Amino acid sequence: MKHVDNQPNIQALRKISSLFATADLEIDQLLSLAIETATETIGARNSSLLLVDDNSGHLQFYQASGQKKIQLKNFEIPPGMGLAGAVLENGKPIVSNEVVNDPRWYSYINEKISFQVTAIATLPLIIDTEVIGVLQFLDKLAETP
C-alpha cells in the first residue's frame, strides 16, 4: 500500500472523527463513510469490513466499497479460510502483494462475482483482546506523478 504522509493522514482522521460526531447518521452510514474515507486515504481500489457472526464464526461482509459492494453482502468466509480467516485466527495483519500465488488466498468469492484482486492488506479489528472482524484494502491505485 502507498505511504501516506502525516498531513493527509491527520486530515483523514479528523474527517472520520467528525463523521462520528454527526448525530443524525445511523451506524451503517457512519461505517460506510469511514470505510470510504480510509480507502481514499490509503489509495486502495476497494475495501471491505468483515465482522464475525457470533453463531457461525463466519466472517460476514458488513461494509464494502467499489462496484461489487452489493454483491459481497451475499457472501461469508468460513472460519480459518483465506487471508481474512488467518488474520482472524492470529490477530496479526497480513499484506500479500501477489494473492494468486499466496496459498492462504480464498478465491471463491472473487471467482463467483468476476472480480480480480492482485494485492491485499488485511488488518484485524480488535476490541480488548478479541478479534471481532477484519478490514481489507484491495489493490493500490496507480500513483500519479
Side-chain angles (χ1 to χ4, degrees):
M1 295 289 150
K2 82 177 184 182
H3 174 72
V4 180
D5 68 25
N6 289 337
Q7 192 59 34
N9 201 15
I10 291 169
Q11 289 172 355
L13 288 173
R14 284 185 182 143
K15 183 175 180 180
I16 291 170
S17 176
S18 70
L19 292 173
F20 284 95
T22 307
D24 56 342
L25 291 176
E26 296 293 324
I27 190 69
D28 289 345
Q29 293 171 307
L30 288 171
L31 287 173
S32 178
L33 290 170
I35 293 292
E36 293 286 343
T37 301
T39 303
E40 181 182 304
T41 301
I42 289 171
R45 182 169 51 114
N46 293 299
S47 62
S48 56
L49 167 65
L50 297 95
L51 297 176
V52 176
D53 178 278
D54 291 334
N55 296 323
S56 68
H58 287 76
L59 281 167
Q60 296 181 323
F61 285 88
Y62 189 74
Q63 292 287 335
S65 69
Q67 295 177 347
K68 303 286 183 169
K69 69 182 177 182
I70 305 255
Q71 291 171 288
L72 286 173
K73 293 233 180 207
N74 298 322
F75 291 96
E76 53 186 35
I77 298 175
M81 295 296 294
L83 295 161
V87 168
L88 182 65
E89 286 182 349
N90 68 30
K92 296 185 181 353
I94 296 174
V95 175
S96 181
N97 290 311
E98 293 184 27
V99 294
V100 295
N101 295 324
D102 193 321
R104 301 167 294 186
W105 177 239
Y106 182 61
S107 62
Y108 173 78
I109 296 169
N110 299 85
E111 291 167 2
K112 290 293 181 188
I113 64 172
S114 300
F115 187 72
Q116 284 290 105
V117 176
T118 303
I120 189 169
T122 306
L123 312 158
L125 293 172
I126 301 170
I127 293 182
D128 295 324
T129 58
E130 182 182 0
V131 181
I132 62 157
V134 298
L135 189 61
Q136 296 183 319
F137 295 99
L138 288 67
D139 297 327
K140 181 174 126 174
L141 292 172
E143 293 187 34
T144 54

mmCIF file of all heavy atoms in Angstrom, residues 31-32 35-40 44-49 61-70 72 115 136-138:
data_model
loop_
_atom_site.group_PDB
_atom_site.id
_atom_site.type_symbol
_atom_site.label_atom_id
_atom_site.label_comp_id
_atom_site.label_asym_id
_atom_site.label_seq_id
_atom_site.Cartn_x
_atom_site.Cartn_y
_atom_site.Cartn_z
ATOM 1 N N LEU A 31 -20.212 3.947 9.283
ATOM 2 C CA LEU A 31 -19.172 2.986 8.916
ATOM 3 C C LEU A 31 -18.881 3.025 7.420
ATOM 4 O O LEU A 31 -17.726 2.928 7.010
ATOM 5 C CB LEU A 31 -19.563 1.574 9.354
ATOM 6 C CG LEU A 31 -19.489 1.336 10.852
ATOM 7 C CD1 LEU A 31 -20.049 -0.037 11.207
ATOM 8 C CD2 LEU A 31 -18.065 1.479 11.367
ATOM 9 N N SER A 32 -19.913 3.178 6.616
ATOM 10 C CA SER A 32 -19.713 3.271 5.171
ATOM 11 C C SER A 32 -18.858 4.484 4.811
ATOM 12 O O SER A 32 -17.909 4.389 4.031
ATOM 13 C CB SER A 32 -21.067 3.353 4.460
ATOM 14 O OG SER A 32 -20.889 3.489 3.080
ATOM 15 N N ILE A 35 -15.242 3.891 6.005
ATOM 16 C CA ILE A 35 -14.534 2.963 5.112
ATOM 17 C C ILE A 35 -14.138 3.671 3.821
ATOM 18 O O ILE A 35 -13.022 3.521 3.329
ATOM 19 C CB ILE A 35 -15.419 1.731 4.793
ATOM 20 C CG1 ILE A 35 -15.633 0.887 6.041
ATOM 21 C CG2 ILE A 35 -14.858 0.900 3.659
ATOM 22 C CD1 ILE A 35 -14.403 0.198 6.545
ATOM 23 N N GLU A 36 -15.053 4.439 3.253
ATOM 24 C CA GLU A 36 -14.749 5.180 2.018
ATOM 25 C C GLU A 36 -13.594 6.155 2.236
ATOM 26 O O GLU A 36 -12.696 6.261 1.402
ATOM 27 C CB GLU A 36 -15.990 5.937 1.526
ATOM 28 C CG GLU A 36 -17.121 5.050 1.056
ATOM 29 C CD GLU A 36 -16.885 4.386 -0.286
ATOM 30 O OE1 GLU A 36 -15.990 4.824 -1.045
ATOM 31 O OE2 GLU A 36 -17.601 3.408 -0.571
ATOM 32 N N THR A 37 -13.595 6.859 3.365
ATOM 33 C CA THR A 37 -12.530 7.817 3.663
ATOM 34 C C THR A 37 -11.192 7.109 3.848
ATOM 35 O O THR A 37 -10.163 7.548 3.318
ATOM 36 C CB THR A 37 -12.880 8.638 4.926
ATOM 37 O OG1 THR A 37 -14.113 9.322 4.697
ATOM 38 C CG2 THR A 37 -11.783 9.643 5.254
ATOM 39 N N ALA A 38 -11.191 6.002 4.577
ATOM 40 C CA ALA A 38 -9.956 5.240 4.781
ATOM 41 C C ALA A 38 -9.436 4.690 3.459
ATOM 42 O O ALA A 38 -8.229 4.730 3.189
ATOM 43 C CB ALA A 38 -10.195 4.105 5.772
ATOM 44 N N THR A 39 -10.323 4.200 2.612
ATOM 45 C CA THR A 39 -9.932 3.649 1.307
ATOM 46 C C THR A 39 -9.275 4.724 0.451
ATOM 47 O O THR A 39 -8.230 4.500 -0.166
ATOM 48 C CB THR A 39 -11.168 3.074 0.585
ATOM 49 O OG1 THR A 39 -11.771 2.099 1.428
ATOM 50 C CG2 THR A 39 -10.800 2.447 -0.742
ATOM 51 N N GLU A 40 -9.889 5.897 0.433
ATOM 52 C CA GLU A 40 -9.355 7.019 -0.330
ATOM 53 C C GLU A 40 -7.991 7.452 0.212
ATOM 54 O O GLU A 40 -7.055 7.702 -0.545
ATOM 55 C CB GLU A 40 -10.350 8.174 -0.260
ATOM 56 C CG GLU A 40 -9.946 9.404 -1.025
ATOM 57 C CD GLU A 40 -10.993 10.501 -0.851
ATOM 58 O OE1 GLU A 40 -12.173 10.256 -1.153
ATOM 59 O OE2 GLU A 40 -10.603 11.591 -0.403
ATOM 60 N N ALA A 44 -6.411 2.799 -1.953
ATOM 61 C CA ALA A 44 -6.804 1.462 -2.387
ATOM 62 C C ALA A 44 -7.941 1.565 -3.400
ATOM 63 O O ALA A 44 -8.695 2.536 -3.423
ATOM 64 C CB ALA A 44 -7.251 0.626 -1.196
ATOM 65 N N ARG A 45 -8.059 0.546 -4.227
ATOM 66 C CA ARG A 45 -9.139 0.497 -5.216
ATOM 67 C C ARG A 45 -10.463 0.168 -4.538
ATOM 68 O O ARG A 45 -11.495 0.734 -4.869
ATOM 69 C CB ARG A 45 -8.815 -0.540 -6.299
ATOM 70 C CG ARG A 45 -9.844 -0.625 -7.395
ATOM 71 C CD ARG A 45 -9.375 -1.443 -8.578
ATOM 72 N NE ARG A 45 -8.872 -2.740 -8.201
ATOM 73 C CZ ARG A 45 -9.437 -3.894 -8.533
ATOM 74 N NH1 ARG A 45 -10.508 -3.924 -9.275
ATOM 75 N NH2 ARG A 45 -8.903 -5.036 -8.152
ATOM 76 N N ASN A 46 -10.455 -0.766 -3.596
ATOM 77 C CA ASN A 46 -11.653 -1.199 -2.882
ATOM 78 C C ASN A 46 -11.278 -1.571 -1.458
ATOM 79 O O ASN A 46 -10.107 -1.790 -1.148
ATOM 80 C CB ASN A 46 -12.284 -2.425 -3.562
ATOM 81 C CG ASN A 46 -12.837 -2.103 -4.925
ATOM 82 O OD1 ASN A 46 -13.725 -1.278 -5.059
ATOM 83 N ND2 ASN A 46 -12.313 -2.749 -5.951
ATOM 84 N N SER A 47 -12.307 -1.716 -0.628
ATOM 85 C CA SER A 47 -12.076 -2.155 0.739
ATOM 86 C C SER A 47 -13.322 -2.872 1.238
ATOM 87 O O SER A 47 -14.396 -2.777 0.639
ATOM 88 C CB SER A 47 -11.766 -0.962 1.642
ATOM 89 O OG SER A 47 -12.869 -0.081 1.668
ATOM 90 N N SER A 48 -13.144 -3.587 2.346
ATOM 91 C CA SER A 48 -14.295 -4.242 2.966
ATOM 92 C C SER A 48 -14.063 -4.386 4.461
ATOM 93 O O SER A 48 -12.939 -4.484 4.929
ATOM 94 C CB SER A 48 -14.555 -5.613 2.335
ATOM 95 O OG SER A 48 -13.416 -6.428 2.399
ATOM 96 N N LEU A 49 -15.171 -4.375 5.175
ATOM 97 C CA LEU A 49 -15.194 -4.592 6.606
ATOM 98 C C LEU A 49 -15.981 -5.871 6.826
ATOM 99 O O LEU A 49 -17.141 -5.960 6.437
ATOM 100 C CB LEU A 49 -15.875 -3.417 7.318
ATOM 101 C CG LEU A 49 -16.250 -3.610 8.785
ATOM 102 C CD1 LEU A 49 -15.010 -3.787 9.640
ATOM 103 C CD2 LEU A 49 -17.071 -2.427 9.275
ATOM 104 N N PHE A 61 -19.483 -9.994 5.278
ATOM 105 C CA PHE A 61 -19.219 -8.667 4.738
ATOM 106 C C PHE A 61 -20.256 -7.711 5.314
ATOM 107 O O PHE A 61 -21.447 -7.837 5.060
ATOM 108 C CB PHE A 61 -19.290 -8.677 3.209
ATOM 109 C CG PHE A 61 -18.092 -9.309 2.574
ATOM 110 C CD1 PHE A 61 -18.057 -10.673 2.353
ATOM 111 C CD2 PHE A 61 -16.995 -8.548 2.223
ATOM 112 C CE1 PHE A 61 -16.948 -11.270 1.780
ATOM 113 C CE2 PHE A 61 -15.875 -9.128 1.651
ATOM 114 C CZ PHE A 61 -15.857 -10.497 1.430
ATOM 115 N N TYR A 62 -19.790 -6.762 6.103
ATOM 116 C CA TYR A 62 -20.672 -5.798 6.741
ATOM 117 C C TYR A 62 -20.725 -4.502 5.936
ATOM 118 O O TYR A 62 -21.779 -3.921 5.755
ATOM 119 C CB TYR A 62 -20.203 -5.536 8.166
ATOM 120 C CG TYR A 62 -21.164 -4.716 8.967
ATOM 121 C CD1 TYR A 62 -22.348 -5.274 9.444
ATOM 122 C CD2 TYR A 62 -20.908 -3.383 9.249
ATOM 123 C CE1 TYR A 62 -23.242 -4.516 10.171
ATOM 124 C CE2 TYR A 62 -21.797 -2.622 9.977
ATOM 125 C CZ TYR A 62 -22.963 -3.192 10.432
ATOM 126 O OH TYR A 62 -23.853 -2.433 11.153
ATOM 127 N N GLN A 63 -19.582 -4.053 5.457
ATOM 128 C CA GLN A 63 -19.470 -2.869 4.608
ATOM 129 C C GLN A 63 -18.432 -3.160 3.534
ATOM 130 O O GLN A 63 -17.502 -3.926 3.757
ATOM 131 C CB GLN A 63 -19.006 -1.645 5.407
ATOM 132 C CG GLN A 63 -19.984 -1.124 6.407
ATOM 133 C CD GLN A 63 -21.153 -0.407 5.765
ATOM 134 O OE1 GLN A 63 -21.068 0.102 4.655
ATOM 135 N NE2 GLN A 63 -22.257 -0.368 6.474
ATOM 136 N N ALA A 64 -18.594 -2.533 2.383
ATOM 137 C CA ALA A 64 -17.611 -2.662 1.314
ATOM 138 C C ALA A 64 -17.684 -1.425 0.442
ATOM 139 O O ALA A 64 -18.684 -0.714 0.429
ATOM 140 C CB ALA A 64 -17.876 -3.919 0.488
ATOM 141 N N SER A 65 -16.617 -1.177 -0.289
ATOM 142 C CA SER A 65 -16.596 -0.082 -1.246
ATOM 143 C C SER A 65 -16.409 -0.675 -2.633
ATOM 144 O O SER A 65 -16.050 -1.845 -2.782
ATOM 145 C CB SER A 65 -15.461 0.896 -0.923
ATOM 146 O OG SER A 65 -14.213 0.295 -1.180
ATOM 147 N N GLY A 66 -16.644 0.123 -3.637
ATOM 148 C CA GLY A 66 -16.429 -0.317 -5.011
ATOM 149 C C GLY A 66 -17.683 -0.845 -5.685
ATOM 150 O O GLY A 66 -18.759 -0.910 -5.105
ATOM 151 N N GLN A 67 -17.516 -1.242 -6.943
ATOM 152 C CA GLN A 67 -18.644 -1.654 -7.777
ATOM 153 C C GLN A 67 -19.323 -2.936 -7.322
ATOM 154 O O GLN A 67 -20.501 -3.134 -7.570
ATOM 155 C CB GLN A 67 -18.183 -1.824 -9.229
ATOM 156 C CG GLN A 67 -17.724 -0.543 -9.872
ATOM 157 C CD GLN A 67 -17.203 -0.775 -11.281
ATOM 158 O OE1 GLN A 67 -16.971 -1.895 -11.697
ATOM 159 N NE2 GLN A 67 -17.017 0.313 -12.013
ATOM 160 N N LYS A 68 -18.620 -3.805 -6.652
ATOM 161 C CA LYS A 68 -19.168 -5.108 -6.260
ATOM 162 C C LYS A 68 -19.677 -5.137 -4.819
ATOM 163 O O LYS A 68 -19.999 -6.194 -4.299
ATOM 164 C CB LYS A 68 -18.104 -6.197 -6.441
ATOM 165 C CG LYS A 68 -17.538 -6.305 -7.845
ATOM 166 C CD LYS A 68 -18.513 -6.936 -8.786
ATOM 167 C CE LYS A 68 -17.879 -7.100 -10.167
ATOM 168 N NZ LYS A 68 -18.649 -7.926 -11.041
ATOM 169 N N LYS A 69 -19.785 -3.977 -4.177
ATOM 170 C CA LYS A 69 -20.118 -3.949 -2.750
ATOM 171 C C LYS A 69 -21.475 -4.570 -2.437
ATOM 172 O O LYS A 69 -21.630 -5.217 -1.410
ATOM 173 C CB LYS A 69 -20.002 -2.542 -2.181
ATOM 174 C CG LYS A 69 -21.025 -1.547 -2.667
ATOM 175 C CD LYS A 69 -20.738 -0.194 -2.038
ATOM 176 C CE LYS A 69 -21.676 0.869 -2.534
ATOM 177 N NZ LYS A 69 -21.346 2.167 -1.949
ATOM 178 N N ILE A 70 -22.448 -4.424 -3.294
ATOM 179 C CA ILE A 70 -23.778 -5.005 -3.036
ATOM 180 C C ILE A 70 -23.704 -6.522 -3.140
ATOM 181 O O ILE A 70 -24.268 -7.233 -2.310
ATOM 182 C CB ILE A 70 -24.809 -4.439 -4.037
ATOM 183 C CG1 ILE A 70 -24.792 -2.939 -3.980
ATOM 184 C CG2 ILE A 70 -26.172 -5.080 -3.834
ATOM 185 C CD1 ILE A 70 -25.890 -2.237 -3.306
ATOM 186 N N LEU A 72 -21.178 -8.452 -2.554
ATOM 187 C CA LEU A 72 -20.399 -9.030 -1.462
ATOM 188 C C LEU A 72 -21.254 -9.352 -0.243
ATOM 189 O O LEU A 72 -20.940 -10.269 0.504
ATOM 190 C CB LEU A 72 -19.259 -8.096 -1.066
ATOM 191 C CG LEU A 72 -18.090 -8.044 -2.027
ATOM 192 C CD1 LEU A 72 -17.112 -6.949 -1.618
ATOM 193 C CD2 LEU A 72 -17.395 -9.385 -2.121
ATOM 194 N N PHE A 115 -14.312 -10.822 -10.084
ATOM 195 C CA PHE A 115 -13.581 -9.679 -9.552
ATOM 196 C C PHE A 115 -12.119 -10.054 -9.404
ATOM 197 O O PHE A 115 -11.793 -11.033 -8.744
ATOM 198 C CB PHE A 115 -14.187 -9.279 -8.199
ATOM 199 C CG PHE A 115 -13.635 -8.012 -7.640
ATOM 200 C CD1 PHE A 115 -13.959 -6.794 -8.199
ATOM 201 C CD2 PHE A 115 -12.792 -8.038 -6.548
ATOM 202 C CE1 PHE A 115 -13.452 -5.624 -7.684
ATOM 203 C CE2 PHE A 115 -12.282 -6.870 -6.017
ATOM 204 C CZ PHE A 115 -12.608 -5.661 -6.584
ATOM 205 N N GLN A 136 -10.174 -5.017 5.090
ATOM 206 C CA GLN A 136 -9.330 -5.345 3.940
ATOM 207 C C GLN A 136 -9.264 -4.166 2.980
ATOM 208 O O GLN A 136 -10.281 -3.531 2.698
ATOM 209 C CB GLN A 136 -9.890 -6.549 3.180
ATOM 210 C CG GLN A 136 -9.896 -7.815 3.985
ATOM 211 C CD GLN A 136 -10.393 -9.000 3.180
ATOM 212 O OE1 GLN A 136 -11.346 -8.907 2.425
ATOM 213 N NE2 GLN A 136 -9.721 -10.120 3.349
ATOM 214 N N PHE A 137 -8.055 -3.906 2.484
ATOM 215 C CA PHE A 137 -7.838 -2.911 1.446
ATOM 216 C C PHE A 137 -7.254 -3.636 0.248
ATOM 217 O O PHE A 137 -6.246 -4.333 0.371
ATOM 218 C CB PHE A 137 -6.903 -1.804 1.935
ATOM 219 C CG PHE A 137 -7.494 -0.998 3.054
ATOM 220 C CD1 PHE A 137 -7.138 -1.256 4.370
ATOM 221 C CD2 PHE A 137 -8.428 -0.008 2.794
ATOM 222 C CE1 PHE A 137 -7.696 -0.526 5.408
ATOM 223 C CE2 PHE A 137 -8.987 0.729 3.824
ATOM 224 C CZ PHE A 137 -8.616 0.459 5.138
ATOM 225 N N LEU A 138 -7.897 -3.474 -0.908
ATOM 226 C CA LEU A 138 -7.524 -4.233 -2.096
ATOM 227 C C LEU A 138 -6.921 -3.332 -3.167
ATOM 228 O O LEU A 138 -7.496 -2.286 -3.503
ATOM 229 C CB LEU A 138 -8.770 -4.907 -2.697
ATOM 230 C CG LEU A 138 -9.349 -6.075 -1.931
ATOM 231 C CD1 LEU A 138 -9.941 -5.681 -0.614
ATOM 232 C CD2 LEU A 138 -10.380 -6.781 -2.770
#
